[in-house]
Amino acid sequence: MKQKFQIEGISCGGCVARVKKTLEEHPNIEKVEIFLAPKGATIISMNETLSVQEIQKQLDKLNGYTISKINQ
């Protein structure tokens, strides 16, 4: 299952790499695609549906990033 999100705080390729690695460490997240254009646009593939709060908890391992759902 793929869902679209917006991650605030991403400004460079280094940010993308750190956030991608951290999110993919979650057992229910299979793959993360983060884009710089539009900045912070993210597609997360997961084994089971995770809430924005659950994903934010994983993201809180890093400082300065917040995630929100993009409604399709």
Side-chain angles (χ1 to χ4, degrees), residues 13-32:
C15 297
V16 169
R18 277 193 305 278
V19 170
K20 177 178 169 60
K21 180 179 184 292
T22 299
L23 290 176
E24 287 180 344
E25 288 172 351
H26 192 286
N28 292 326
I29 294 177
E30 296 175 337
K31 183 180 176 189
V32 177

Side-chain angles (χ1 to χ4, degrees), residues 22-23 26 51-62 67:
T22 299
L23 290 176
H26 192 286
S51 69
V52 171
Q53 292 81 9
E54 290 172 296
I55 299 169
Q56 181 65 56
K57 187 175 176 185
Q58 182 72 14
L59 199 52
D60 284 345
K61 294 179 179 183
L62 302 171
I67 190 165

Side-chain angles (χ1 to χ4, degrees), residues 60-71:
D60 284 345
K61 294 179 179 183
L62 302 171
N63 289 324
Y65 301 101
T66 56
I67 190 165
S68 58
K69 182 106 168 84
I70 296 175
N71 294 323

Side-chain angles (χ1 to χ4, degrees), residues 1-3 23-31 44-50 55:
M1 162 183 291
K2 288 185 179 183
Q3 292 186 337
L23 290 176
E24 287 180 344
E25 288 172 351
H26 192 286
N28 292 326
I29 294 177
E30 296 175 337
K31 183 180 176 189
I44 300 178
S45 301
M46 43 191 107
N47 298 328
E48 62 181 60
T49 304
L50 298 173
I55 299 169

